[in-house]
Amino acid sequence: MNACRIITLDVGNSAADIGLFEDANLITTDFLPSSADSVERICLIAERWHQENELEHVMIASVVPALGDLLAVQIEQRLRKIPIMVEDIKTQLLPLRVDRPETVGVDRIVNCYAAVHLYGSPAVVISLGTATTFEAISADGRYIGGAIAPGVNISLEALTRRAALLPPIDLHEKPERIIGKNTVEHMKSGIFFGTVSMIEGMARRMKSIVGDQAKVIATGGMSSIFAQEGVFDVHEPFLTLKGLELIHRHRCPSRD
């Protein structure tokens, strides 16, 4: 039996992740800004992987509809593969016990699907990206809702935009101390440790509803700097890519 090789594409508001899987194993990844300017580079990566590996399918989850549609057209033309747009089947992936299931972001649903199948339920799934999102999954594997807060970088941008004396800064690592000694340290401490406290508090409150045995699973581009704070049970930076592979494995018929 030939190996099954697929490409998974997670197109977010700030970044696009692309992964190559072979028989459920993540072989390699790449990361690009999420913009129309990146479409050509993404297609070149996909073409190279296709030439080297003879791909079976391309799975796309995009929260930027115009960009996702553009990628789908380009990939179909250049790889001669019709991409599977997970947006079209997202409400079929797991029970969504919310008011309007169709409005839940496809990335959030894919993350929950991955969490249930990789780590079990109940679970609390946290994604730290453009926004910081929290998802609650019940013991019987139902998505019962969540919460959305500003992401780390959005919070920093809002501070510097609305407060005239606060300088623009980046946050790429844990601050040295919680009690800062200058303005930049104050800002970094407030954002970093404030986010840690938010994660702790939201996870605790959600676990009190879905079950104290729930695992707290984290993903997203900003999750790595919080991974050593003891607020996650699982840190999986490629949860969305792995969720897309799982969806392909469970729902797409094998060519063999």
Side-chain angles (χ1 to χ4, degrees):
M1 182 181 295
N2 294 330
C4 176
R5 301 180 183 91
I6 69 167
I7 282 177
T8 57
L9 262 169
D10 169 25
V11 183
N13 288 297
S14 301
D17 290 341
I18 180 170
L20 173 66
F21 285 83
E22 180 176 292
D23 288 339
N25 298 308
L26 182 57
I27 303 302
T28 188
T29 62
D30 213 327
F31 168 90
L32 300 96
S34 188
S35 69
D37 293 337
S38 295
V39 169
E40 176 65 18
R41 290 177 59 196
I42 292 171
C43 288
L44 287 172
I45 292 168
E47 283 181 316
R48 186 180 77 245
W49 289 355
H50 185 38
Q51 291 167 0
E52 295 171 352
N53 298 281
E54 190 182 350
L55 300 173
E56 182 169 337
H57 284 128
V58 178
M59 306 285 290
I60 299 177
S62 176
V63 297
V64 186
L67 188 54
D69 292 344
L70 179 59
L71 276 167
V73 169
Q74 290 294 314
I75 286 172
E76 182 176 355
Q77 290 177 350
R78 297 167 69 159
L79 272 65
R80 299 294 187 265
K81 298 285 183 182
I82 299 176
I84 297 170
M85 304 299 289
V86 181
E87 176 72 28
D88 298 336
I89 60 171
K90 68 180 184 180
T91 58
Q92 305 168 27
L93 296 176
L94 72 167
L96 304 175
R97 298 298 182 253
V98 292
D99 293 339
R100 296 179 59 197
E102 72 279 3
T103 65
V104 181
V106 63
D107 55 339
R108 300 173 71 187
I109 295 174
V110 171
N111 285 343
C112 290
Y113 189 90
V116 169
H117 287 277
L118 293 174
Y119 306 108
S121 56
V124 174
V125 182
I126 304 171
S127 179
L128 292 110
T130 305
T132 298
T133 60
F134 300 84
E135 323 297 351
I137 304 170
S138 64
D140 58 357
R142 300 169 186 265
Y143 175 72
I144 64 170
I148 302 174
V152 169
N153 288 328
I154 285 179
S155 297
L156 283 171
E157 290 166 8
L159 269 179
T160 58
R161 186 170 62 249
R162 298 295 295 272
L165 296 180
L166 296 183
I169 64 169
D170 293 318
L171 183 63
H172 300 299
E173 59 187 1
K174 178 180 178 178
E176 293 183 6
R177 48 199 168 209
I178 190 169
I179 300 177
K181 299 298 184 181
N182 55 63
T183 299
V184 169
E185 288 189 359
H186 296 170
M187 294 170 68
K188 289 185 175 182
S189 174
I191 294 295
F192 183 88
F193 292 107
T195 299
V196 169
S197 295
M198 176 178 66
I199 292 169
E200 290 174 329
M202 291 293 287
R204 183 179 66 252
R205 289 171 183 267
M206 287 189 173
K207 287 173 69 174
S208 72
I209 296 171
V210 301
D212 288 336
Q213 73 274 31
K215 286 186 177 179
V216 178
I217 302 159
T219 191
M222 293 298 296
S223 60
S224 60
I225 66 172
F226 300 99
Q228 303 304 315
E229 293 305 298
V231 291
F232 313 139
D233 296 309
V234 177
H235 175 228
E236 176 44 75
F238 300 116
L239 188 67
T240 314
L241 296 182
K242 291 185 175 182
L244 290 170
E245 188 282 324
L246 282 164
I247 293 166
H248 176 269
R249 197 190 322 166
H250 296 161
R251 299 182 65 91
C252 298
S254 171
R255 65 185 176 192
D256 296 313

